[in-house]
Amino acid sequence: MVRSRSRIRRLVAPVRSLFVSDASAGVLLILVAIAAMIAANSPLSDEYRDLFYGYMFPKDVFKLNTLHLWINDGLMAIFFFVVGLEIKREIICGQLSSPEQRRLPVLAASAGMIAPALVYLFFIGGDAGLTRGWAIPAATDIAFAMGVIGLLGSRVPASLRLFLLTIAIVDDMGAVIIIAAFYGEYFNPFWFLMSVLLLAVMVGMNRFGVNRIWPFVLVAFALWFAVLFSGVHATIAGVLAALTIPMRSSNGSSLLERMEHSLAPWSAYLVVPIFGFANAGVDLSDMGLNEIFAPLPLAIATGLFVGKQLGIFGIVVGAVKLGIAKAPDNASWPEIWGVAVLCGIGFTMSLFIGELAFVGNRTLIDEAKIGILMGSIISAFLGYFILRLTTRHPEESDPQSEPA
């Protein structure tokens, strides 16, 4: 029996290693985006659109009356919950726990959000109808960017992997704030007050030592429902709920760590791919070059590709030269530039913000998707080749070597 189990473990080890590597989630997202584009431009395009946008019931029955809305407003709350858990853990005991550790990533992420937004606003040329999309190129996709890094193996030093991951986490924090502040549909005082009360209940549960999962899950679901009707985007409930989960240790691990460990694979390999497949597909049959290279997709693509690397690389150079922060260990300037380019991959969060920015306007949403895909693909390829040509750290692949 023991031999049989050992043999099974050996057989599944290669598959398991693929799906726990840095590259796997990013590769999966690439495949999902390709599948969505094929589905949207195949003989099944009508079925693809009807699946996600066909009405399940009248809106007066329940607000979420399409599968697309259930995915974006419901299922994605799990993704945002995992993001919130990760943010809290990093702030308390991770790479954002001290001023020295967080200084450079916070500066880089902030500049990496401001510069793309400014580039976007410059390229749309004052078109008031497109102004709401300013935040679309401001987001970096963690899974996609880390996936490209993962494909390079030990060529990329651990310090750069950590730098990219920390930037992306801070970037997600900024994106959550932007969504909450700028992309609400309306404001309902009653449901907002209910949201505040339910959040207070979760904070109280933390303070009074509740350390079981199910009470937090029940109240978190109620919080999601209240936020959904408050006018603040429902997925923000995921982040708020996550911030109330206890981090104190119990039996060697905290409730937060247990929940993050359990949910992170489901988020990376189920929730985000479903979201990507539902949102990445664009029907190009009715689009000519004028639509593909319209001001909106060009502004988004340029914001992601040019704005991200200008903002991040520029602020890192400035901060290091002025002595404000220390550069990542064992990393050259070309390598740091390559990571800055990779930050222009804005798949998941950019698609999400695009849907919110132009809600109800399918033409602009599709144009935004084209811009996101163009900017992300160019950033991924260029970032990969920069790092492929400039990095080689064999000492980090040797388990006997001392860390640099």
Side-chain angles (χ1 to χ4, degrees), residues 110-120 303 306-308 310-312:
S110 300
M113 299 185 79
I114 295 170
L118 293 176
V119 170
Y120 173 90
V306 177
K308 276 288 184 182
L310 281 179
I312 293 173

Side-chain angles (χ1 to χ4, degrees), residues 2 9 25 87 106 111 139 155 159 166 169-170 209 233 236 313 326 333 344-345 355 363 365 368:
V2 174
R9 287 194 191 99
I87 289 171
V106 168
R155 285 176 171 269
S159 62
T166 314
I169 291 170
V170 178
H233 198 271
I236 300 302
F313 189 66
K326 184 177 177 289
W333 285 116
I345 302 173
E355 290 281 346
T363 300
I365 289 174

Side-chain angles (χ1 to χ4, degrees), residues 186 188 190-199 219-232 234 237:
Y186 52 84
N188 186 303
F190 171 77
W191 284 111
F192 181 79
L193 178 60
M194 289 298 297
S195 303
V196 173
L197 292 175
L198 288 166
L199 183 62
V219 183
F221 180 80
L223 176 64
W224 169 82
F225 188 88
V227 173
L228 176 67
F229 287 93
S230 72
V232 179

Side-chain angles (χ1 to χ4, degrees), residues 2-77:
V2 174
R3 284 184 181 178
S4 176
R5 287 179 180 173
S6 177
R7 192 177 297 114
I8 292 172
R9 287 194 191 99
R10 286 198 300 271
L11 287 172
V12 302
V15 177
R16 185 180 181 277
S17 65
L18 171 65
F19 283 93
V20 298
S21 67
D22 283 341
S24 57
V27 170
L28 180 59
L29 274 184
I30 294 170
L31 296 176
V32 164
I34 293 171
M37 289 300 293
I38 292 173
N41 292 277
S42 72
L44 297 175
S45 59
D46 290 339
E47 287 78 3
Y48 171 82
R49 185 162 293 278
D50 289 343
L51 172 64
F52 294 112
Y53 295 97
Y55 293 116
M56 303 164 67
F57 39 76
K59 202 157 191 175
D60 56 2
V61 174
F62 190 66
K63 181 179 179 179
L64 308 184
N65 64 340
T66 67
L67 182 58
H68 182 261
L69 287 174
W70 274 105
I71 291 169
N72 283 30
D73 291 22
L75 192 62
M76 281 297 281

